[in-house]
Amino acid sequence: MSGVVIHLPRGRGDAEGEPCGDAVTLRLGPGEVARFGRGSATTPVELRLDDEAISRLAGEIRVTDDHWQLSNLSATQSYLVENPEGAGEYLRVPPRRAGAPIPFEFSRVVLPTRNTSVSFQVFAPDHVYLDADGLHGHWGSRTVTAYSLDETALYFLILVALCEPRLRDESPVAVPTTPQIVDRLKGHPACGRLTARAVSSHIDYLADEKMRISTPAECGPRREARRNGKREAIVGLVLRFGLVREEHLALLPPRAGAGGQERRTAG
């Protein structure tokens, strides 16, 4: 595994359980460690969680060659590691547990507080697979896929929605905007609460971590042009390599007004 991305969202201290403060994004490679907690002048942490119910040094994340580990340094509190895109799967990491291996590609680490909870996300984009011709051979035959995509993940559903117009030959150039993707997916059972901010985050994740598309950082009026260019680059790459195909359209909810024709096309 090439590493993980940790994202601590900018919170408002509301019922959504996000911590207060500015957003923080960290990239860790194998062997690197990030500590989290309330922190202090004598106890520095990379991820600061501003809540008095959280220890100064609450825990740490360590990246290994093929997974990441969570250590709970609290003496009293258990932490949860949720799979946001699964069917409610989660792990409970008890107090003082060191080096608990985490198997999820997307994870939400949740710490309890007096009022609700605080959380941050960990993304582990690269998975290791054995060669198909060498499953019974030596471990030396292992191969990291060029583009590791989980077709059951929410980001893949968003990717299919991005590619849909070109897969249906509706437009040679247009790629859906973020609001159009939110509207397109609102009929899907997993997307009832999908927001534009979440879609943008998934698109950034696809571009930066899955597809490894580099785009220059821009501010002001050029920022939207950069976002459009990122979406165009993602669609162009996945369609060239056949990572999203016509059969994947069946993952999308039926289009409004399409009726039986939509169902026949998707099937």
Side-chain angles (χ1 to χ4, degrees):
M1 188 169 66
S2 64
V4 304
V5 177
I6 305 172
H7 179 64
L8 177 66
R10 181 175 183 175
R12 300 178 300 276
D14 55 15
E16 295 180 359
E18 294 185 348
C20 298
D22 293 333
V24 176
T25 299
L26 301 176
R27 285 176 168 80
L28 302 181
E32 294 186 313
V33 174
R35 302 190 299 176
F36 58 88
R38 203 157 86 249
S40 70
T42 58
T43 309
V45 293
E46 287 74 25
L47 298 170
R48 186 167 182 173
L49 308 176
D50 291 321
D51 189 283
E52 61 182 6
I54 295 176
S55 303
R56 295 288 183 185
L57 182 57
E60 71 174 27
I61 289 169
R62 181 179 298 273
V63 182
T64 71
D65 287 336
D66 56 6
H67 67 282
W68 63 276
Q69 301 172 343
L70 176 67
S71 293
N72 180 352
L73 304 181
S74 169
T76 58
Q77 300 283 5
S78 292
Y79 303 154
L80 297 182
V81 183
E82 301 173 340
N83 178 8
E85 300 191 335
E89 298 97 336
Y90 69 90
L91 298 175
R92 182 184 295 109
V93 182
R96 302 182 301 280
R97 173 67 160 94
I102 308 302
F104 308 134
E105 181 176 3
F106 278 11
S107 302
R108 180 187 296 116
V109 180
V110 183
L111 285 71
T113 66
R114 283 182 178 273
N115 297 320
T116 171
S117 63
V118 296
S119 65
F120 56 88
Q121 291 86 42
V122 182
F123 306 94
D126 292 338
H127 289 183
V128 174
Y129 295 87
L130 293 175
D131 288 335
D133 297 332
L135 291 178
H136 303 292
H138 298 293
W139 183 244
S141 65
R142 69 178 183 176
T143 299
V144 177
T145 59
Y147 303 112
S148 175
L149 297 174
D150 180 358
E151 295 184 8
T152 67
L154 178 57
Y155 68 74
F156 191 81
L157 193 63
I158 291 171
L159 184 58
V160 175
L162 274 174
C163 296
E164 181 182 28
R166 293 190 183 178
L167 286 172
R168 296 190 189 279
D169 294 325
E170 293 178 349
S171 170
V173 291
V175 173
T177 64
T178 296
Q180 287 173 333
I181 293 174
V182 173
D183 185 66
R184 179 68 182 91
L185 295 178
K186 65 184 180 182
H188 192 281
C191 300
R193 301 178 63 182
L194 185 65
T195 64
R197 179 181 176 182
V199 169
S200 295
S201 295
H202 279 287
I203 290 174
D204 288 341
Y205 175 69
L206 283 164
D208 299 340
E209 305 301 330
K210 289 296 186 179
M211 304 290 107
R212 298 178 295 282
I213 296 169
S214 60
T215 55
E218 300 286 355
C219 299
R222 299 185 62 182
R223 185 174 183 180
E224 185 58 31
R226 181 176 64 86
R227 287 190 178 276
N228 290 336
K230 181 180 290 188
R231 289 194 293 264
E232 291 276 357
I234 292 171
V235 171
L237 181 63
V238 300
L239 292 182
R240 280 199 304 273
F241 284 98
L243 304 175
V244 174
R245 302 176 297 278
E246 285 189 29
E247 58 261 34
H248 291 129
L249 294 174
L251 298 172
L252 300 175
R255 292 190 294 180
Q261 181 180 356
E262 168 70 18
R263 288 190 291 271
R264 288 194 299 272
T265 301

